[in-house]
Amino acid sequence: MRRRTKAPASPLPQREGIDAVRVRLPEDRAGVWRTVREHLVDRYAGAVGAALVGEMVRQGRFVGADGRAVGGDEPYAAGRYLWFHRDFPAEERVPFEVGVVYRDERIVVADKPHFLATMPRGRHVTETAMARLRRDLGLPGLQPAHRLDRLTAGLVLFVVRPEDRGAYQTLFRDRRVRKEYEAVAPYAPEPVLPVTVRSRIEKERGVMAAREVAGEPNSESRIERVERRGGLARYRLVPETGRTHQLRVHMNALGLPILRDPVYPVVREDGPEDFGRPLQLLARTLEFTDPLDGSPRRFESGLSLSALG
């Protein structure tokens, strides 16, 4: 089996903390593309339009491994690498800063605010914790070891060097990280807490809400009540698994939907962000054994939930 040649490093610097897009020209045994321009138009016309692709080529926005602009009429060459910066969507700035709880030569533990995505996805690109930290800390190789929901605040572990990322990602994959969350939700005498919730959760692409379905459980959360204040209470949530929206789904299933949740129990219509009413869910602690030096690590968020002060 022939090994695939490692891609060369990007000749383009990051823009606003975002890497240039890398393109590898595929095999063309049928001889469909005579020039680089023809392939790029076929490849991206459906996403941005043929006219815009042609204009990007004309402006020299596609470059080769040597950093020089690629001429649209250059002969097509399968296996060649190109790079370009895409146009970023207009994004409203999330008016909260990303805190840094801990930093050394290998990891950064960040306190992500509510409303800020962990990493680029969909319409959230430059307004993400990863992009901000890359810019603010001068760490272009910074990558998250796991993901925290955009609407949830709290601790996210980032890895400084790309070659170390796999070791830290494996901790989360193998459930060797103890995570503890805090939530504010309605108080109710039932169910009796603490309780461990196990269920099967499925999330369909393009559907906002995850749902519980019949079948073998793939999610587990332990839920405790910490204190009560009138009609509200503070809860400690300890997930054993990491399904999408898991804690929000389990709290809702108990009849204790997390305060200000725009999805559970009812999906609200899409509209402008209300930064004054964040989801009352916080990733409070992360605890693990460092996979590279074996040292015990424990971090605690400096953020708090506003509903109970």
Side-chain angles (χ1 to χ4, degrees), residues 94 96 110-118 129 146-156 180-183 237 243-248 258-262 264 273 277-284 301 303-305:
V94 176
F96 311 112
D111 243 346
K112 184 188 79 66
H114 292 102
F115 301 103
L116 190 69
T118 299
H146 62 118
R147 181 178 287 162
L148 191 63
D149 282 349
R150 187 179 69 86
L151 297 182
T152 304
L155 299 179
V156 182
E180 186 177 299
Y181 289 69
E182 181 180 309
L237 316 177
R243 309 301 299 185
T244 300
H245 295 182
Q246 176 178 316
L247 297 175
R248 297 161 67 183
I258 297 174
L259 199 64
R260 302 172 187 165
D261 193 325
Y264 307 97
E273 300 276 20
R277 293 180 57 80
L279 173 71
Q280 294 298 281
L281 180 62
L282 172 67
R284 171 64 69 191
S301 173
L303 300 175
S304 60
L305 297 175

Side-chain angles (χ1 to χ4, degrees), residues 1-8 22-27 43 78-81:
M1 181 176 174
R2 188 175 62 182
R3 287 188 177 180
R4 186 169 180 174
T5 304
K6 183 179 180 181
R22 186 182 72 213
V23 180
R24 186 174 188 269
L25 303 186
E27 291 292 334
R43 187 166 186 156
R80 185 181 183 184
Y81 287 97

Side-chain angles (χ1 to χ4, degrees), residues 6-35:
K6 183 179 180 181
S10 172
L12 294 177
Q14 290 178 350
R15 184 154 61 90
E16 297 187 50
I18 303 299
D19 294 323
V21 178
R22 186 182 72 213
V23 180
R24 186 174 188 269
L25 303 186
E27 291 292 334
D28 182 26
R29 293 186 176 88
V32 175
W33 305 300
R34 293 182 302 104
T35 65

Side-chain angles (χ1 to χ4, degrees), residues 63-95:
V63 304
D66 58 3
R68 292 188 298 179
V70 174
D73 293 332
E74 290 185 28
Y76 185 83
R80 185 181 183 184
Y81 287 97
L82 308 178
W83 288 262
F84 71 97
H85 278 295
R86 58 176 165 153
D87 293 322
F88 300 141
E91 297 179 66
E92 181 179 10
R93 188 181 191 279
V94 176

Side-chain angles (χ1 to χ4, degrees), residues 248-293:
R248 297 161 67 183
V249 169
H250 283 169
M251 286 291 284
N252 185 59
L254 293 175
L256 303 169
I258 297 174
L259 199 64
R260 302 172 187 165
D261 193 325
V263 177
Y264 307 97
V266 178
V267 177
R268 297 177 194 165
E269 291 185 11
D270 195 17
E273 300 276 20
D274 186 349
F275 294 121
R277 293 180 57 80
L279 173 71
Q280 294 298 281
L281 180 62
L282 172 67
R284 171 64 69 191
T285 64
L286 282 178
E287 191 170 358
F288 57 90
T289 298
D290 193 287
L292 299 185
D293 65 14

Side-chain angles (χ1 to χ4, degrees), residues 159-178:
V159 183
V160 175
R161 301 180 297 215
E163 62 267 27
D164 293 339
R165 190 185 184 200
Y168 290 96
Q169 285 181 312
T170 299
L171 289 177
F172 291 88
R173 185 197 67 192
D174 295 347
R175 303 178 189 174
R176 290 187 280 134
V177 179
R178 185 181 186 277

